[in-house]
Amino acid sequence: ITTQRSGNAAPDYFHAILTYKDGLRAILHGSMLTPDSGLRFAVHGDGGSYVKYGLDSQEDSLKAGAKPGCDGWGQDLSPGTLTCVVDEKIRTENLPGLAGDYRHYYAAVEAAISNAAGNPVTAQEAVAVMELLEAGYDSARQARTITL
C-alpha cells in the first residue's frame, strides 16, 4: 500500500508485508508526513522486541553549527530498548547505538571514483533495491502479492 499527495510524484507513505519462503514475515511502514515520527523502528519476534526511537543526530548537529568529527559527533542520543522473555520473566535492557559518521561513506565513494577502492554499493545491490521498490509499486497498483 502506498499513498501520495495530489501532484506529488513520490509516495508519502508505504506499508509492505514481506513473506519469506520459510513463512517468516516482516511488516514495514514508512512515512515522511506523520506528526509523531519519534519511532525509528521496532522489531518483534517470538522471544523479544527491540524498539528504537529518534533519528540520526548528524543533521541536527550540522544545523547547530557542529563540525563533523568533533567530540560526540554522530553519538546516538536515544538508546534502543531490548525486551526479552528469559525464564518466563520479561527483561528489559537499554542498548546504546553506535555513533554514526556519514563521512566514511562519502570517502568510500570518492575512493571508488578515483579507482582506489571498489564502490561501497555495487551495481548489483543498487539494481536489487530498485527491483524491490518497483515490485512494491506494482503490488500497490495491482492490489496483489508480487513474488520475487
Side-chain angles (χ1 to χ4, degrees), residues 66-100:
K67 301 289 185 218
C70 68
D71 285 342
W73 180 259
Q75 186 63 43
D76 188 350
L77 304 175
S78 177
T81 303
L82 177 65
T83 303
C84 296
V85 178
V86 179
D87 298 328
E88 299 181 16
K89 293 181 182 178
I90 294 177
R91 301 213 175 145
T92 300
E93 177 181 3
N94 287 332
L95 300 173
L98 300 175

Side-chain angles (χ1 to χ4, degrees), residues 112-123:
I113 291 170
S114 65
N115 292 318
N119 195 334
V121 178
T122 67

Side-chain angles (χ1 to χ4, degrees), residues 41-66:
F41 57 84
V43 180
H44 305 289
D46 293 341
S49 298
Y50 178 76
V51 178
K52 176 73 176 89
Y53 288 89
L55 298 174
D56 187 302
S57 65
Q58 293 176 83
E59 184 177 349
D60 286 340
S61 294
L62 286 172
K63 289 177 183 175

Side-chain angles (χ1 to χ4, degrees), residues 6-148:
S6 177
N8 189 19
D12 295 318
Y13 168 82
F14 76 91
H15 172 87
I17 301 172
L18 308 177
T19 305
Y20 297 90
K21 289 181 183 178
D22 60 6
L24 292 176
R25 292 186 332 159
I27 300 172
L28 311 170
H29 308 278
S31 175
M32 294 296 295
L33 299 177
T34 55
D36 180 1
S37 62
L39 179 63
R40 186 66 174 151
F41 57 84
V43 180
H44 305 289
D46 293 341
S49 298
Y50 178 76
V51 178
K52 176 73 176 89
Y53 288 89
L55 298 174
D56 187 302
S57 65
Q58 293 176 83
E59 184 177 349
D60 286 340
S61 294
L62 286 172
K63 289 177 183 175
K67 301 289 185 218
C70 68
D71 285 342
W73 180 259
Q75 186 63 43
D76 188 350
L77 304 175
S78 177
T81 303
L82 177 65
T83 303
C84 296
V85 178
V86 179
D87 298 328
E88 299 181 16
K89 293 181 182 178
I90 294 177
R91 301 213 175 145
T92 300
E93 177 181 3
N94 287 332
L95 300 173
L98 300 175
D101 194 338
Y102 288 129
R103 295 175 307 152
H104 298 296
Y105 172 74
Y106 293 115
V109 170
E110 187 277 329
I113 291 170
S114 65
N115 292 318
N119 195 334
V121 178
T122 67
Q124 294 85 359
E125 291 168 332
V127 167
V129 168
M130 289 185 275
E131 287 174 343
L132 287 171
L133 291 172
E134 284 302 318
Y137 290 136
D138 289 345
S139 176
R141 282 191 293 268
Q142 298 171 23
R144 68 180 187 89
T145 298
I146 302 291
T147 301
L148 299 176

